[in-house]
Amino acid sequence: MSIPLLDLKAQYNTLKSEILAAIHSVLDSGSYIMGGNVRALEESIAEMCAVKHGIGVASGTDALLLSLIALGIGEGDEVITTPYTFFSTAEVISKVRATPVFVDIDPRTFNLDVKLVEKNITSRTKAVIPVHIFGQTADLDPLLKLANNYNLKIIEDACQAIGALYKGKPAGSFGNTGCFSFYPTKNLGGYGDGGLIVTNDDTLAEKLRLLRVHGSKKRYYHLVPGYNSRLDEIQAAVLRVKLKYLAQWSEARRSKAALYNRLLQESAIDIPYVEEWNESVYHLYVVRSKERDVLKSRLAEAKINSGIYYPLPLHLQEVYRALGYKSGDLPEAERASCEALALPLYPEMTEDTVNQVVKVLLES
Ligand SMILES: *Cc1c(COP(=O)(O)O)cnc(C)c1O
């Protein structure tokens, strides 16, 4: 039997009848775009995040992109972010013709090292995008203080961290906006693309609602050039079913992570570090080892899938060659890209399967 990194079919099988009923009811309703399911999902997620507004969009990438545009960030501006994330985070900065400024990570959490942010702030810096990587929030309090002192916007990339807590408060609720993705492999995943922005700012919410639908509030009357970036009813209906289970899935992820931790803590493999004030949702369970590639092949031989997130940090990507970063500039991100390994973790995974993975990892 092979062991996947994530088993989406296992989840579907547990919810099949509920999901099919939700999809059928959308099909029967004849309302496929911007209907009741999208509105209800927006309200539920805003409530879960304890913020005023939720705005469904076409993807997590668009959630980030529209946030930058609505906040007026563009040509000539600099935006500070982490090099150790999915490309989207920096891609959107480039798409609005601003410049990403990469700041190294804290090697313990893989998140933006907030201590290094201040010395990278210039007169052009307009925003910071912290990414809550692998399900654990970045250290937000010091960032919010900097944002206040230097008049910077904060856009939380919470695509991997829906339901995570920072000092007891939900990921996404701290910044000017918080961005979520419903890509199928995310902790709350649809059966296609989708995303959502949360914010407490009424004016910003209004702008975002305009931007996602061709700059129009009233059909066929356009106030600004916008986008076609809507979440569709079928995805929203599926996500509403799944949202009811999210808390228990996060708990199941944490309990499997705790088991891995127990089994690996005496070994030479470094287990994930979670700050005492954080509650992680373990989007991924990522260990570290100088022998990462050996461990990965050993797992592969036993038909166990593992994942490398992320093999090349963003400052060294071809697309950013013109920015002039060199190998060695952001040493912790570079080291993480050689040492980090994501092990299989999903809510339906059995303890027995965790044991099997660890057994293969520890045989030498
Ligand atoms: C998945 C992800 C995104 C992009 O979300 P999409 O819905 O795939 O566009 C952005 N940032 C991070 C950190 C992600 O993990």
Side-chain angles (χ1 to χ4, degrees), residues 4 17-18 22 29 42 74 87 100 162 175 220 258 280 297 319 328:
S17 58
E18 242 185 304
S29 77
E42 290 174 338
F87 178 51
I162 192 162
Y220 302 126
S280 175
S297 349
V319 49

Side-chain angles (χ1 to χ4, degrees), residues 59-61 64 85-86 88-89 131 157 159-160 181 183 186 194 310:
S59 67
T61 305
L64 295 162
T85 175
F86 181 60
S88 279
T89 317
V131 178
D157 182 338
C159 288
Q160 300 187 3
S181 164
Y183 185 77
K186 300 291 155 90
Y310 293 91

Side-chain angles (χ1 to χ4, degrees), residues 11-12 15-25 191 237-238 241-242 249:
Q11 189 188 70
Y12 176 57
L15 297 177
K16 200 166 190 165
S17 58
E18 242 185 304
I19 283 176
L20 290 178
I23 291 175
H24 281 143
S25 92
Y191 295 116
V238 167
V241 171
K242 290 195 177 191
W249 289 337

